[in-house]
Amino acid sequence: MKLLNTEVTENIVEDINKLAELSKKQIEPIIAEIEKLQIVLPTKRKFQTTVIEEHYFNMLRLLSYELEKEQSALIVFGFSFYDEHISDVVQRSLNNPNLLILIMCYQDGNKEDIISKFNFSLQAIPSNIVFIEPKDFLIEEMTEQEFTQKYEDTDLSQYTIIKNEGQVKIYSKDVNKYLYDETQVPILNFSSFNSILEEEFTNKYQSVFLNEEGEEIE
């Protein structure tokens, strides 16, 4: 292997340093403007930003305060609960029996992953936390041959049809789909989120409210 001589190496290092300095000068004004915004960027400082800096700390405190109120509801969409300081706030709020938490899972299987971030198991999910998954909107499942025979002349435009390996699953229109590695996957995306919120889901996901004696309120 032929090594670069010292002079060439020094020239390369000098050019790299010049590029780094130029990039720094161009990026610094952008960073300064971004830091004026009240957003949490996905950097190594994210935990420090949300817990130590006053603005975000007050937001977390406000969240905790709201979740402790009677007949409160928290609707979660697009959050994985990987941020422990936020997950801990939600975990403590579950002690409020009058709180209802609805967690919308992007796809089947996310529920188990989210539960692993809390201090309860899949067999001991608190009654005031509800997971909404694509499979909750599954209407019918059959083979592709059965599907063809049964719905050959039927308009199914109001449904989401997912076909994989000779099997067909019919979902309500709340569910969408995307193609992953040549496999159709049912998902709850932002369109689903809006659709579900527009429905009358109050009774379906109604929380159990208790009085001061711990008895269920009818």
Short mmCIF file of all heavy atoms in Angstrom, two decimals, residues 51-105:
data_model
loop_
_atom_site.label_atom_id
_atom_site.label_comp_id
_atom_site.label_asym_id
_atom_site.label_seq_id
_atom_site.Cartn_x
_atom_site.Cartn_y
_atom_site.Cartn_z
N VAL A 51 -36.30 18.60 30.17
CA VAL A 51 -36.39 18.48 31.63
C VAL A 51 -35.79 19.69 32.34
O VAL A 51 -36.31 20.14 33.36
CB VAL A 51 -35.69 17.18 32.10
CG1 VAL A 51 -35.69 17.10 33.62
CG2 VAL A 51 -36.40 15.97 31.53
N ILE A 52 -34.71 20.23 31.82
CA ILE A 52 -34.00 21.30 32.52
C ILE A 52 -34.47 22.68 32.09
O ILE A 52 -34.69 23.56 32.93
CB ILE A 52 -32.47 21.16 32.30
CG1 ILE A 52 -31.98 19.83 32.89
CG2 ILE A 52 -31.73 22.33 32.95
CD1 ILE A 52 -30.51 19.57 32.69
N GLU A 53 -34.64 22.89 30.79
CA GLU A 53 -35.04 24.22 30.33
C GLU A 53 -36.47 24.53 30.79
O GLU A 53 -37.37 23.71 30.66
CB GLU A 53 -34.91 24.32 28.82
CG GLU A 53 -33.44 24.21 28.37
CD GLU A 53 -33.27 24.48 26.89
OE1 GLU A 53 -34.24 24.97 26.26
OE2 GLU A 53 -32.19 24.20 26.37
N GLU A 54 -36.67 25.72 31.30
CA GLU A 54 -37.89 26.09 32.01
C GLU A 54 -39.16 25.94 31.16
O GLU A 54 -40.17 25.43 31.65
CB GLU A 54 -37.78 27.54 32.49
CG GLU A 54 -38.98 27.99 33.30
CD GLU A 54 -38.80 29.39 33.83
OE1 GLU A 54 -37.72 29.97 33.62
OE2 GLU A 54 -39.74 29.90 34.45
N HIS A 55 -39.12 26.35 29.89
CA HIS A 55 -40.32 26.32 29.06
C HIS A 55 -40.87 24.90 28.95
O HIS A 55 -42.07 24.67 29.17
CB HIS A 55 -40.01 26.87 27.67
CG HIS A 55 -41.16 26.78 26.72
ND1 HIS A 55 -42.22 27.67 26.76
CD2 HIS A 55 -41.44 25.90 25.73
CE1 HIS A 55 -43.10 27.34 25.82
NE2 HIS A 55 -42.65 26.28 25.18
N TYR A 56 -40.02 23.94 28.65
CA TYR A 56 -40.48 22.57 28.45
C TYR A 56 -40.82 21.90 29.77
O TYR A 56 -41.73 21.07 29.84
CB TYR A 56 -39.42 21.77 27.68
CG TYR A 56 -39.11 22.38 26.34
CD1 TYR A 56 -37.91 23.04 26.12
CD2 TYR A 56 -40.03 22.34 25.30
CE1 TYR A 56 -37.62 23.63 24.89
CE2 TYR A 56 -39.76 22.91 24.08
CZ TYR A 56 -38.55 23.56 23.88
OH TYR A 56 -38.28 24.13 22.67
N PHE A 57 -40.09 22.27 30.82
CA PHE A 57 -40.40 21.72 32.14
C PHE A 57 -41.81 22.14 32.56
O PHE A 57 -42.58 21.34 33.09
CB PHE A 57 -39.38 22.22 33.17
CG PHE A 57 -39.67 21.75 34.57
CD1 PHE A 57 -39.35 20.47 34.97
CD2 PHE A 57 -40.28 22.59 35.47
CE1 PHE A 57 -39.63 20.02 36.25
CE2 PHE A 57 -40.56 22.17 36.76
CZ PHE A 57 -40.23 20.87 37.14
N ASN A 58 -42.16 23.39 32.28
CA ASN A 58 -43.51 23.87 32.61
C ASN A 58 -44.57 23.15 31.79
O ASN A 58 -45.68 22.90 32.28
CB ASN A 58 -43.59 25.38 32.38
CG ASN A 58 -42.83 26.17 33.42
OD1 ASN A 58 -42.61 25.68 34.53
ND2 ASN A 58 -42.41 27.37 33.06
N MET A 59 -44.24 22.81 30.55
CA MET A 59 -45.19 22.06 29.72
C MET A 59 -45.43 20.67 30.29
O MET A 59 -46.57 20.19 30.32
CB MET A 59 -44.66 21.96 28.29
CG MET A 59 -44.66 23.27 27.52
SD MET A 59 -44.00 23.11 25.85
CE MET A 59 -45.20 22.02 25.10
N LEU A 60 -44.36 20.02 30.76
CA LEU A 60 -44.51 18.70 31.37
C LEU A 60 -45.32 18.79 32.66
O LEU A 60 -46.15 17.92 32.95
CB LEU A 60 -43.13 18.09 31.65
CG LEU A 60 -42.32 17.64 30.45
CD1 LEU A 60 -40.94 17.17 30.88
CD2 LEU A 60 -43.04 16.52 29.70
N ARG A 61 -45.09 19.83 33.43
CA ARG A 61 -45.84 20.03 34.67
C ARG A 61 -47.31 20.27 34.38
O ARG A 61 -48.19 19.76 35.09
CB ARG A 61 -45.25 21.19 35.46
CG ARG A 61 -45.86 21.37 36.85
CD ARG A 61 -45.06 22.35 37.65
NE ARG A 61 -44.99 23.67 37.02
CZ ARG A 61 -44.36 24.70 37.55
NH1 ARG A 61 -43.74 24.58 38.71
NH2 ARG A 61 -44.34 25.87 36.92
N LEU A 62 -47.58 21.04 33.31
CA LEU A 62 -48.97 21.30 32.92
C LEU A 62 -49.63 20.01 32.46
O LEU A 62 -50.80 19.75 32.77
CB LEU A 62 -49.00 22.34 31.79
CG LEU A 62 -50.40 22.69 31.25
CD1 LEU A 62 -51.26 23.28 32.36
CD2 LEU A 62 -50.27 23.67 30.09
N LEU A 63 -48.90 19.18 31.72
CA LEU A 63 -49.44 17.89 31.28
C LEU A 63 -49.82 17.05 32.49
O LEU A 63 -50.91 16.47 32.55
CB LEU A 63 -48.40 17.15 30.43
CG LEU A 63 -48.73 15.69 30.08
CD1 LEU A 63 -49.99 15.62 29.21
CD2 LEU A 63 -47.56 15.03 29.37
N SER A 64 -48.92 16.96 33.46
CA SER A 64 -49.19 16.18 34.67
C SER A 64 -50.42 16.72 35.40
O SER A 64 -51.27 15.94 35.86
CB SER A 64 -47.97 16.23 35.59
OG SER A 64 -48.21 15.53 36.79
N TYR A 65 -50.53 18.04 35.49
CA TYR A 65 -51.66 18.67 36.17
C TYR A 65 -52.98 18.33 35.47
O TYR A 65 -53.98 18.00 36.13
CB TYR A 65 -51.45 20.18 36.22
CG TYR A 65 -52.62 20.95 36.75
CD1 TYR A 65 -52.93 20.96 38.12
CD2 TYR A 65 -53.44 21.69 35.88
CE1 TYR A 65 -54.01 21.68 38.60
CE2 TYR A 65 -54.52 22.40 36.37
CZ TYR A 65 -54.81 22.40 37.72
OH TYR A 65 -55.89 23.10 38.19
N GLU A 66 -53.00 18.40 34.14
CA GLU A 66 -54.22 18.13 33.39
C GLU A 66 -54.63 16.67 33.51
O GLU A 66 -55.83 16.35 33.57
CB GLU A 66 -54.02 18.50 31.92
CG GLU A 66 -53.90 19.99 31.65
CD GLU A 66 -55.16 20.76 32.01
OE1 GLU A 66 -56.26 20.18 31.86
OE2 GLU A 66 -55.06 21.93 32.44
N LEU A 67 -53.68 15.77 33.55
CA LEU A 67 -53.99 14.35 33.62
C LEU A 67 -54.50 13.93 34.99
O LEU A 67 -55.06 12.85 35.15
CB LEU A 67 -52.76 13.51 33.26
CG LEU A 67 -52.25 13.65 31.82
CD1 LEU A 67 -51.04 12.75 31.59
CD2 LEU A 67 -53.35 13.34 30.81
N GLU A 68 -54.30 14.78 35.98
CA GLU A 68 -54.79 14.47 37.33
C GLU A 68 -56.23 14.93 37.54
O GLU A 68 -56.85 14.59 38.55
CB GLU A 68 -53.88 15.14 38.37
CG GLU A 68 -52.49 14.52 38.44
CD GLU A 68 -51.56 15.29 39.36
OE1 GLU A 68 -52.03 16.32 39.91
OE2 GLU A 68 -50.41 14.88 39.52
N LYS A 69 -56.78 15.70 36.59
CA LYS A 69 -58.15 16.18 36.73
C LYS A 69 -59.15 15.06 36.51
O LYS A 69 -58.86 14.06 35.85
CB LYS A 69 -58.41 17.30 35.71
CG LYS A 69 -57.66 18.59 35.96
CD LYS A 69 -58.03 19.64 34.92
CE LYS A 69 -57.34 20.96 35.19
NZ LYS A 69 -57.70 21.98 34.15
N GLU A 70 -60.36 15.25 37.05
CA GLU A 70 -61.42 14.26 36.85
C GLU A 70 -61.94 14.32 35.41
O GLU A 70 -62.02 15.39 34.81
CB GLU A 70 -62.57 14.51 37.83
CG GLU A 70 -62.23 14.18 39.28
CD GLU A 70 -63.45 14.18 40.16
OE1 GLU A 70 -64.56 14.36 39.62
OE2 GLU A 70 -63.30 13.99 41.38
N GLN A 71 -62.27 13.13 34.89
CA GLN A 71 -62.83 12.99 33.55
C GLN A 71 -61.94 13.62 32.48
O GLN A 71 -62.42 14.23 31.52
CB GLN A 71 -64.25 13.58 33.50
CG GLN A 71 -65.20 12.92 34.47
CD GLN A 71 -66.63 13.39 34.32
OE1 GLN A 71 -67.01 13.93 33.29
NE2 GLN A 71 -67.44 13.18 35.35
N SER A 72 -60.63 13.45 32.66
CA SER A 72 -59.67 13.91 31.66
C SER A 72 -59.48 12.83 30.60
O SER A 72 -59.72 11.65 30.83
CB SER A 72 -58.32 14.23 32.31
OG SER A 72 -58.44 15.29 33.22
N ALA A 73 -59.03 13.26 29.44
CA ALA A 73 -58.75 12.31 28.36
C ALA A 73 -57.45 12.70 27.67
O ALA A 73 -57.20 13.88 27.42
CB ALA A 73 -59.88 12.27 27.35
N LEU A 74 -56.63 11.70 27.40
CA LEU A 74 -55.38 11.92 26.67
C LEU A 74 -55.41 11.02 25.44
O LEU A 74 -55.54 9.80 25.54
CB LEU A 74 -54.17 11.56 27.54
CG LEU A 74 -52.81 11.59 26.83
CD1 LEU A 74 -52.46 13.02 26.41
CD2 LEU A 74 -51.72 11.02 27.72
N ILE A 75 -55.32 11.64 24.26
CA ILE A 75 -55.30 10.90 23.00
C ILE A 75 -53.88 10.95 22.45
O ILE A 75 -53.32 12.02 22.22
CB ILE A 75 -56.29 11.48 21.99
CG1 ILE A 75 -57.71 11.42 22.57
CG2 ILE A 75 -56.24 10.74 20.67
CD1 ILE A 75 -58.76 12.08 21.69
N VAL A 76 -53.29 9.79 22.26
CA VAL A 76 -51.89 9.69 21.83
C VAL A 76 -51.82 9.16 20.41
O VAL A 76 -52.36 8.10 20.10
CB VAL A 76 -51.09 8.76 22.77
CG1 VAL A 76 -49.63 8.71 22.35
CG2 VAL A 76 -51.21 9.23 24.22
N PHE A 77 -51.12 9.90 19.56
CA PHE A 77 -50.93 9.48 18.17
C PHE A 77 -49.53 9.86 17.72
O PHE A 77 -49.09 10.99 17.92
CB PHE A 77 -51.97 10.14 17.26
CG PHE A 77 -51.74 9.87 15.79
CD1 PHE A 77 -52.13 8.67 15.22
CD2 PHE A 77 -51.12 10.81 14.99
CE1 PHE A 77 -51.92 8.42 13.87
CE2 PHE A 77 -50.90 10.57 13.65
CZ PHE A 77 -51.29 9.37 13.08
N GLY A 78 -48.81 8.93 17.15
CA GLY A 78 -47.48 9.21 16.64
C GLY A 78 -46.40 9.35 17.70
O GLY A 78 -45.37 9.97 17.46
N PHE A 79 -46.61 8.78 18.88
CA PHE A 79 -45.62 8.85 19.96
C PHE A 79 -45.29 7.44 20.41
O PHE A 79 -46.18 6.64 20.70
CB PHE A 79 -46.16 9.68 21.12
CG PHE A 79 -45.19 9.83 22.26
CD1 PHE A 79 -43.94 10.37 22.05
CD2 PHE A 79 -45.53 9.42 23.54
CE1 PHE A 79 -43.04 10.51 23.09
CE2 PHE A 79 -44.65 9.55 24.59
CZ PHE A 79 -43.39 10.10 24.37
N SER A 80 -44.01 7.12 20.50
CA SER A 80 -43.57 5.75 20.81
C SER A 80 -43.37 5.50 22.30
O SER A 80 -43.15 4.37 22.71
CB SER A 80 -42.25 5.46 20.08
OG SER A 80 -41.22 6.32 20.57
N PHE A 81 -43.37 6.56 23.12
CA PHE A 81 -43.12 6.49 24.56
C PHE A 81 -41.67 6.12 24.88
O PHE A 81 -41.37 5.63 25.96
CB PHE A 81 -44.08 5.50 25.25
CG PHE A 81 -45.48 6.03 25.37
CD1 PHE A 81 -46.42 5.77 24.38
CD2 PHE A 81 -45.87 6.79 26.45
CE1 PHE A 81 -47.71 6.26 24.46
CE2 PHE A 81 -47.16 7.30 26.55
CZ PHE A 81 -48.08 7.02 25.55
N TYR A 82 -40.77 6.34 23.94
CA TYR A 82 -39.35 6.10 24.20
C TYR A 82 -38.74 7.19 25.08
O TYR A 82 -37.68 7.00 25.66
CB TYR A 82 -38.57 6.00 22.89
CG TYR A 82 -38.54 4.61 22.31
CD1 TYR A 82 -39.59 4.15 21.51
CD2 TYR A 82 -37.48 3.74 22.57
CE1 TYR A 82 -39.57 2.86 20.99
CE2 TYR A 82 -37.47 2.46 22.05
CZ TYR A 82 -38.50 2.02 21.25
OH TYR A 82 -38.49 0.75 20.74
N ASP A 83 -39.40 8.34 25.17
CA ASP A 83 -38.91 9.42 26.04
C ASP A 83 -39.37 9.15 27.46
O ASP A 83 -40.53 9.38 27.81
CB ASP A 83 -39.44 10.78 25.55
CG ASP A 83 -38.95 11.10 24.15
OD1 ASP A 83 -37.75 11.36 24.01
OD2 ASP A 83 -39.77 11.07 23.22
N GLU A 84 -38.45 8.68 28.30
CA GLU A 84 -38.81 8.21 29.64
C GLU A 84 -39.44 9.30 30.50
O GLU A 84 -40.35 9.01 31.28
CB GLU A 84 -37.56 7.65 30.33
CG GLU A 84 -37.02 6.37 29.69
CD GLU A 84 -35.82 5.83 30.43
OE1 GLU A 84 -35.44 6.43 31.46
OE2 GLU A 84 -35.26 4.82 29.98
N HIS A 85 -38.97 10.53 30.38
CA HIS A 85 -39.49 11.60 31.24
C HIS A 85 -40.95 11.90 30.93
O HIS A 85 -41.70 12.29 31.81
CB HIS A 85 -38.64 12.87 31.10
CG HIS A 85 -38.40 13.30 29.70
ND1 HIS A 85 -37.65 12.57 28.81
CD2 HIS A 85 -38.84 14.38 29.00
CE1 HIS A 85 -37.60 13.19 27.64
NE2 HIS A 85 -38.33 14.28 27.73
N ILE A 86 -41.38 11.66 29.68
CA ILE A 86 -42.79 11.85 29.32
C ILE A 86 -43.58 10.61 29.71
O ILE A 86 -44.69 10.70 30.23
CB ILE A 86 -42.94 12.15 27.83
CG1 ILE A 86 -42.19 13.45 27.47
CG2 ILE A 86 -44.42 12.27 27.44
CD1 ILE A 86 -42.23 13.80 26.01
N SER A 87 -43.00 9.44 29.46
CA SER A 87 -43.67 8.18 29.81
C SER A 87 -43.94 8.10 31.30
O SER A 87 -44.97 7.59 31.74
CB SER A 87 -42.83 6.98 29.36
OG SER A 87 -42.65 6.99 27.96
N ASP A 88 -42.99 8.60 32.10
CA ASP A 88 -43.16 8.57 33.55
C ASP A 88 -44.34 9.42 34.00
O ASP A 88 -45.08 9.06 34.92
CB ASP A 88 -41.88 9.06 34.25
CG ASP A 88 -40.74 8.07 34.15
OD1 ASP A 88 -41.01 6.90 33.81
OD2 ASP A 88 -39.58 8.46 34.39
N VAL A 89 -44.54 10.57 33.34
CA VAL A 89 -45.67 11.44 33.67
C VAL A 89 -46.98 10.71 33.37
O VAL A 89 -47.92 10.72 34.19
CB VAL A 89 -45.60 12.75 32.86
CG1 VAL A 89 -46.89 13.56 33.05
CG2 VAL A 89 -44.40 13.58 33.28
N VAL A 90 -47.05 10.06 32.23
CA VAL A 90 -48.25 9.32 31.85
C VAL A 90 -48.46 8.13 32.79
O VAL A 90 -49.59 7.84 33.20
CB VAL A 90 -48.15 8.83 30.38
CG1 VAL A 90 -49.36 8.00 30.01
CG2 VAL A 90 -48.03 10.02 29.43
N GLN A 91 -47.37 7.45 33.15
CA GLN A 91 -47.45 6.31 34.06
C GLN A 91 -48.07 6.73 35.39
O GLN A 91 -48.98 6.07 35.91
CB GLN A 91 -46.05 5.74 34.29
CG GLN A 91 -45.98 4.63 35.33
CD GLN A 91 -46.31 3.27 34.76
OE1 GLN A 91 -45.73 2.86 33.77
NE2 GLN A 91 -47.22 2.56 35.39
N ARG A 92 -47.61 7.83 35.95
CA ARG A 92 -48.14 8.30 37.24
C ARG A 92 -49.60 8.70 37.11
O ARG A 92 -50.39 8.53 38.04
CB ARG A 92 -47.29 9.47 37.76
CG ARG A 92 -45.90 9.09 38.21
CD ARG A 92 -45.26 10.23 39.01
NE ARG A 92 -45.12 11.44 38.22
CZ ARG A 92 -44.06 11.73 37.49
NH1 ARG A 92 -43.04 10.87 37.43
NH2 ARG A 92 -43.99 12.85 36.81
N SER A 93 -49.97 9.24 35.97
CA SER A 93 -51.34 9.71 35.78
C SER A 93 -52.35 8.56 35.79
O SER A 93 -53.54 8.78 36.03
CB SER A 93 -51.46 10.49 34.48
OG SER A 93 -51.41 9.61 33.36
N LEU A 94 -51.89 7.35 35.53
CA LEU A 94 -52.80 6.20 35.50
C LEU A 94 -53.39 5.90 36.87
O LEU A 94 -54.35 5.12 36.98
CB LEU A 94 -52.06 4.96 34.97
CG LEU A 94 -51.71 5.02 33.48
CD1 LEU A 94 -50.79 3.86 33.10
CD2 LEU A 94 -52.96 4.99 32.62
N ASN A 95 -52.84 6.51 37.91
CA ASN A 95 -53.41 6.36 39.24
C ASN A 95 -54.74 7.11 39.37
O ASN A 95 -55.48 6.91 40.32
CB ASN A 95 -52.43 6.87 40.31
CG ASN A 95 -51.21 5.99 40.41
OD1 ASN A 95 -51.29 4.78 40.29
ND2 ASN A 95 -50.05 6.61 40.63
N ASN A 96 -55.00 7.99 38.40
CA ASN A 96 -56.27 8.71 38.37
C ASN A 96 -57.31 7.81 37.69
O ASN A 96 -57.28 7.63 36.48
CB ASN A 96 -56.12 10.02 37.58
CG ASN A 96 -57.43 10.77 37.43
OD1 ASN A 96 -58.46 10.38 37.99
ND2 ASN A 96 -57.40 11.84 36.66
N PRO A 97 -58.25 7.22 38.44
CA PRO A 97 -59.21 6.28 37.85
C PRO A 97 -60.20 6.93 36.90
O PRO A 97 -60.88 6.25 36.15
CB PRO A 97 -59.93 5.70 39.08
CG PRO A 97 -59.83 6.80 40.11
CD PRO A 97 -58.49 7.43 39.89
N ASN A 98 -60.28 8.26 36.94
CA ASN A 98 -61.22 8.98 36.07
C ASN A 98 -60.57 9.46 34.78
O ASN A 98 -61.18 10.20 34.01
CB ASN A 98 -61.82 10.17 36.82
CG ASN A 98 -62.64 9.72 38.01
OD1 ASN A 98 -63.34 8.72 37.94
ND2 ASN A 98 -62.54 10.45 39.11
N LEU A 99 -59.33 9.06 34.55
CA LEU A 99 -58.60 9.44 33.34
C LEU A 99 -58.77 8.37 32.27
O LEU A 99 -58.74 7.17 32.55
CB LEU A 99 -57.11 9.61 33.66
CG LEU A 99 -56.17 9.77 32.45
CD1 LEU A 99 -56.41 11.10 31.74
CD2 LEU A 99 -54.72 9.63 32.89
N LEU A 100 -58.95 8.79 31.03
CA LEU A 100 -59.01 7.87 29.90
C LEU A 100 -57.85 8.19 28.95
O LEU A 100 -57.69 9.33 28.52
CB LEU A 100 -60.33 8.01 29.15
CG LEU A 100 -60.44 7.20 27.84
CD1 LEU A 100 -60.33 5.71 28.11
CD2 LEU A 100 -61.75 7.53 27.11
N ILE A 101 -57.04 7.18 28.65
CA ILE A 101 -55.92 7.35 27.72
C ILE A 101 -56.16 6.46 26.51
O ILE A 101 -56.29 5.24 26.63
CB ILE A 101 -54.58 6.99 28.37
CG1 ILE A 101 -54.29 7.92 29.55
CG2 ILE A 101 -53.44 7.08 27.34
CD1 ILE A 101 -52.98 7.62 30.26
N LEU A 102 -56.24 7.07 25.34
CA LEU A 102 -56.40 6.34 24.08
C LEU A 102 -55.08 6.41 23.32
O LEU A 102 -54.61 7.50 22.98
CB LEU A 102 -57.52 6.94 23.23
CG LEU A 102 -58.94 6.92 23.80
CD1 LEU A 102 -59.89 7.61 22.83
CD2 LEU A 102 -59.39 5.50 24.05
N ILE A 103 -54.49 5.27 23.06
CA ILE A 103 -53.22 5.22 22.33
C ILE A 103 -53.46 4.56 20.98
O ILE A 103 -53.86 3.40 20.90
CB ILE A 103 -52.16 4.44 23.11
CG1 ILE A 103 -51.89 5.11 24.46
CG2 ILE A 103 -50.86 4.35 22.30
CD1 ILE A 103 -50.89 4.38 25.33
N MET A 104 -53.25 5.30 19.91
CA MET A 104 -53.45 4.77 18.57
C MET A 104 -52.13 4.21 18.04
O MET A 104 -51.14 4.93 17.93
CB MET A 104 -53.98 5.86 17.64
CG MET A 104 -55.34 6.38 18.08
SD MET A 104 -56.11 7.48 16.89
CE MET A 104 -57.59 7.97 17.81
N CYS A 105 -52.13 2.93 17.74
CA CYS A 105 -50.93 2.24 17.27
C CYS A 105 -50.85 2.30 15.74
O CYS A 105 -51.84 2.02 15.06
CB CYS A 105 -50.94 0.79 17.73
SG CYS A 105 -51.04 0.59 19.52
#
